[in-house]
Amino acid sequence: MTFTDRHRRAMALIADTFAPGNDAGIPSASAVGAPEMALHLAASGPRVADAQQLEKLLGLWDSPLFALAMFGTPRRFSAMSREQRERALVRLGDSSSPSKRALFQALKAGATLPYTLAVGEPLWQTMDFPGPLGAPANAPEPPLHAEHVTGPTTLDADVVIVGSGAGGGPAAAVLAAAGLSVIVLEAGEYYDDRDFDGDEARGIGQLYTNVGSADGQISLFEGRTLGGGTVVNYSTAFRTPDRVRAEWAALGAGQFASDEYTRALDAVWERLGATQDYSTPGRRDAVLERGAQALGWDAGTLWRNVDGCDQGTVCGRCGLGCALGAKKSTAKTWLRDAQDAGARILVGVQARRVTVAGGRATGVEAATADGIPVTVRARAVFVAAGSVQTPSLLLRSGLENPNIGAHLRLHPATAVLGLMDEEVLPWTGTMQARYVDRFADLDGEGYGAILETAPITPALGSAFVNWRSGAQYLARLAEWRNTVDVAVIVRDKGPGGRVRIGADGEPIVDYTVAPQDAEHMMQAMVGAARLVAAAGARRVRTTHQQDTVWEPASGGIEAFERDIRRQGVGPGRLGLVALHIMGSARMGGAAATSAVNPDGRTWEVDGLYVADGSSFPTASGVNPMVSIQAISYMTATRLAAALR
Ligand SMILES: Cc1cc2nc3c(=O)[nH]c(=O)nc-3n(C[C@H](O)[C@H](O)[C@H](O)COP(=O)(O)OP(=O)(O)OC[C@H]3O[C@@H](n4cnc5c(N)ncnc54)[C@H](O)[C@@H]3O)c2cc1C
């Protein structure tokens, strides 16, 4: 994809309107190279179609006709004054048209993410953010031998595993320990302690992937590195709640309610060394706990799969990889066990297709990013590529069961922001130490939302700051040092979304927050607002694009509640993300209702197994990593017995 000067000029105009800098020395987007970075990010994304769409948009951007259609004036964007350009963008963001609002949000993210990644000082100084921490001293040698492919390669194994995250890791260990030859294919690269310097630009660029829902309502984030999401996640460990296990069993996979699944959970819990020893509340969680106590609500202590956290400066960057080696990702646990038992691990290799002969999986066709072909012939294929890529791979491989890609479940999440008198420095402290489950069962059937705080570094935080003008945006970033963010994490009840693939074979995610889930989100947001107010917040905001502000000292919460309900959760209205992605190849009792059977085997193809977040029959309601690992452990144990 090559962008022309016309595209570059349009991108620079847009980015400099979102981030014009100021007279106090904060540079503009162009001054720090953000427009170039935005184009580079777009061109290097997984979907060529997205880059082509941006190319088309930028080609049209500065024409009078486009301005008329988008901003209601025939004046070209480049001919407007800065104030007029700001008003034009705000008008787009406040439009009654969902697609215009979604376009605004896409442009805002496209401009402000590279800006906050590149800007550095003196903006960081105004926030009191120290920037990257630097590579850790004395980091040990990485423990895994991760192989790269340098020429066309064909390999043989008993089992080829696609993906190395929460689903792929335990399976590799269990199958290798059973004496089977195992090859793990991971699309991402291998990074370890010595690479984790707390730099957002590096961490986000190397370790993450994200895809937005087709209507622009919600962004889905996943890890894309050896260890998958377990390398970047916040190490909060929850066993699957009994009520959820019963629900899953009732949907056809009876073992969820049996000792078999309990044993799998126990094995995972033990291997991860889940503990409460490193759950000292940081400043964010101290606010959460204080607010809950003031209201007479419970704030539970979280279990975490860690050993050796500093619970201070380094821990706040845990989402960019743990420099202390404290987080027990699959790269630190199961993949080591697998390697010790003889498994081979290939990185930078993306599976494109499962090969099938006579109704039976025979292996995987894959390729490196440079297009070098890799073929693995195997007795069984174990897909654990995450809830976006697993159904995509199955669909690319020609599977037709309509449940593949369907029933996509998310924990749609937003944040309620409290401006405190005290310094919060939300990029520091234990990742997550407390949670509030007061809103977890709002319908009597176990659906609702939990509240947890989340670490916020400037670029991550930029997604949660609404934009009304360049000056307002900078002022809000400067407030982060005193801001607590309480994440509202909804257990969606469905009907859920769908992952399908485009003509290029890459995933397209259809997902709309259902009315009852939106209602649960609203109730929990109001609860979170009350909580931060009880903890002393001077001002409370949501992440709505239109300003929503409650100043507790000036009056009750009613007007604020009316306001956030009026704005709702439609595309482009509210900052919404999903870090927990589930259900898109769900396990169940019949081909008519599920994608895989209770053994984890696809109903259509023998020897083709799935175990990762996509296996969940419904959303877990709690952070899903432990449940995913338990499903993987259980499924791999069954498969090992079958192959032996
Ligand atoms: C920022 C963040 C914080 C989180 N915090 C928590 C938390 O505190 N607690 C918790 O329980 N959960 C948390 N989660 C969620 C949890 O990490 C994920 O649910 C979990 O990792 C998903 O497991 P998975 O096996 O389905 O997919 P992943 O762990 O994402 O693994 C899939 C792997 O497959 C690879 N892959 C994809 N396609 C291919 C292909 N075609 N070929 C080869 N490889 C491929 C990917 O690169 C990836 O490494 C968090 C997630 C994020 C993003």
Side-chain angles (χ1 to χ4, degrees):
M1 171 79 39
T2 43
F3 291 105
T4 64
D5 285 349
R6 182 191 176 96
H7 300 127
R8 286 175 211 290
R9 273 196 306 276
M11 191 69 235
L13 268 175
I14 296 166
D16 284 337
T17 308
F18 277 109
N22 67 16
D23 296 340
I26 308 265
S28 68
S30 285
V32 297
E36 277 303 314
M37 196 197 282
L39 294 178
H40 171 73
L41 287 174
S44 53
R47 283 183 54 81
V48 178
D50 289 346
Q52 285 168 340
Q53 222 178 337
L54 178 67
E55 186 188 29
K56 199 165 149 199
L57 177 82
L58 295 177
L60 293 171
W61 185 263
D62 203 27
S63 70
L65 261 181
F66 186 82
L68 191 62
M70 287 294 147
F71 316 126
T73 165
R75 189 187 292 258
R76 289 149 57 112
F77 199 68
S78 60
M80 296 180 192
S81 68
R82 201 178 87 201
E83 289 70 26
Q84 286 170 329
R85 287 204 297 271
E86 288 190 335
R87 279 201 297 277
L89 287 183
V90 168
R91 186 185 166 122
L92 196 63
D94 291 350
S95 168
S96 57
S97 152
S99 58
K100 285 188 181 174
R101 294 195 308 267
L103 171 63
F104 168 85
Q105 292 299 335
L107 291 171
K108 177 192 161 227
T112 59
L113 178 68
Y115 178 67
T116 44
L117 286 176
V119 64
E121 303 294 5
L123 177 64
W124 287 346
Q125 215 176 342
T126 67
M127 306 172 74
D128 228 358
F129 177 70
L133 302 174
N138 310 321
E141 279 298 303
L144 296 176
H145 174 61
E147 300 175 52
H148 279 103
V149 168
T150 52
T153 304
T154 299
L155 301 167
D156 291 289
D158 288 321
V159 187
V160 56
I161 298 176
V162 179
S164 62
V174 169
L175 293 163
L180 297 161
S181 63
V182 171
I183 293 177
V184 178
L185 301 182
E186 167 54 51
E189 294 292 333
Y190 180 31
Y191 301 100
D192 196 52
D193 312 2
R194 65 182 180 187
D195 305 307
F196 300 142
D197 57 6
D199 178 16
E200 279 196 288
R202 186 208 51 72
I204 292 174
Q206 290 178 341
L207 306 175
Y208 283 87
T209 181
N210 97 301
V211 57
S213 62
D215 66 359
Q217 189 182 30
I218 186 163
S219 282
L220 285 57
F221 286 87
E222 296 168 291
R224 185 185 168 90
T225 179
L226 187 63
T230 68
V231 172
V232 295
N233 81 18
Y234 303 162
S235 60
T236 287
F238 272 103
R239 291 171 72 102
T240 323
D242 287 345
R243 184 173 190 164
V244 174
R245 291 178 58 174
E247 189 179 298
W248 289 359
L251 286 167
Q255 76 265 32
F256 281 115
S258 78
D259 285 350
E260 182 184 2
Y261 188 64
T262 305
R263 281 195 300 276
L265 281 170
D266 290 345
V268 168
W269 202 250
E270 191 185 327
R271 185 63 187 100
L272 295 189
T275 175
Q276 293 184 322
D277 287 352
Y278 299 95
S279 297
T280 306
R283 298 176 195 216
R284 284 177 277 112
D285 281 307
V287 173
L288 183 85
E289 187 165 49
R290 194 166 76 224
Q293 279 167 356
L295 293 167
W297 301 352
D298 286 336
T301 299
L302 289 170
W303 291 80
R304 310 186 53 233
N305 56 311
V306 294
D307 183 15
C309 301
D310 80 343
Q311 303 185 82
T313 310
V314 180
C315 280
R317 308 294 173 92
C318 169
L320 305 169
C322 176
L324 301 170
K327 188 189 312 186
K328 296 198 173 180
S329 67
T330 57
K332 296 289 188 189
T333 53
W334 302 107
L335 294 175
R336 288 181 73 160
D337 300 346
Q339 178 176 273
D340 291 348
R344 290 180 67 181
I345 299 169
L346 272 56
V347 292
V349 176
Q350 192 196 31
R352 296 303 302 168
R353 209 167 68 85
V354 177
T355 51
V356 179
R360 192 173 174 87
T362 55
V364 163
E365 285 175 358
T368 66
D370 300 335
I372 299 172
V374 179
T375 303
V376 184
R377 297 180 296 223
R379 292 165 66 199
V381 176
F382 197 105
V383 182
S387 298
V388 175
Q389 292 294 343
T390 284
S392 306
L393 175 60
L394 298 181
L395 292 169
R396 280 201 301 270
S397 307
L399 273 75
E400 291 177 346
N401 180 323
N403 294 298
I404 295 170
H407 314 293
L408 172 72
R409 298 303 175 96
L410 304 178
H411 289 159
T414 187
V416 168
L417 309 173
L419 184 66
M420 312 297 295
D421 286 328
E422 71 215 52
E423 274 203 329
V424 180
L425 307 179
W427 44 81
T428 61
T430 307
M431 278 311 253
Q432 297 183 319
R434 297 288 181 273
Y435 71 108
V436 170
D437 65 1
R438 187 173 178 85
F439 305 98
D441 185 11
L442 291 171
D443 66 351
E445 294 180 13
Y447 287 84
I450 53 176
L451 309 181
E452 294 170 0
T453 75
I456 299 286
T457 38
L460 285 178
S462 70
F464 288 111
V465 176
N466 68 334
W467 190 94
R468 310 299 300 176
S469 73
Q472 164 268 355
Y473 191 72
L474 280 182
R476 293 286 306 287
L477 287 181
E479 283 180 355
W480 271 118
R481 60 191 292 177
N482 296 89
T483 299
V484 67
D485 58 291
V486 174
V488 172
I489 305 166
V490 173
R491 179 186 188 206
D492 80 352
K493 195 169 184 176
R498 174 180 284 277
V499 178
R500 56 193 165 92
I501 50 171
D504 55 2
E506 295 302 330
I508 299 169
V509 174
D510 297 318
Y511 186 90
T512 301
V513 177
Q516 86 274 351
D517 299 327
E519 173 55 28
H520 291 168
M521 182 168 274
M522 288 296 154
Q523 289 184 33
M525 283 167 78
V526 172
R530 291 181 58 211
L531 182 146
V532 292
R538 258 191 288 140
R539 199 173 297 143
V540 184
R541 296 181 190 275
T542 60
T543 65
H544 280 100
Q545 163 55 14
Q546 292 183 4
D547 269 326
T548 51
V549 187
W550 174 39
E551 294 189 341
S554 318
I557 196 171
E558 297 75 18
F560 175 76
E561 178 170 357
R562 273 197 303 278
D563 197 13
I564 66 173
R565 285 183 176 281
R566 179 183 58 76
Q567 292 199 49
V569 303
R573 293 280 192 217
L574 177 70
L576 279 179
V577 298
L579 307 182
H580 306 160
I581 309 166
M582 303 154 283
S584 49
R586 73 180 184 185
M587 188 182 273
T593 54
S594 59
V596 299
N597 73 11
D599 287 337
R601 185 173 52 76
T602 61
W603 291 102
E604 297 168 75
V605 176
D606 278 343
L608 177 54
Y609 293 81
V610 172
D612 61 10
S614 66
S615 311
F616 284 17
T618 62
S620 55
V622 293
N623 308 48
M625 168 189 59
V626 168
S627 304
I628 295 170
Q629 297 204 8
I631 291 175
S632 168
Y633 186 95
M634 175 179 79
T635 301
T637 304
R638 286 190 178 200
L639 175 58
L643 289 179
R644 270 198 308 253

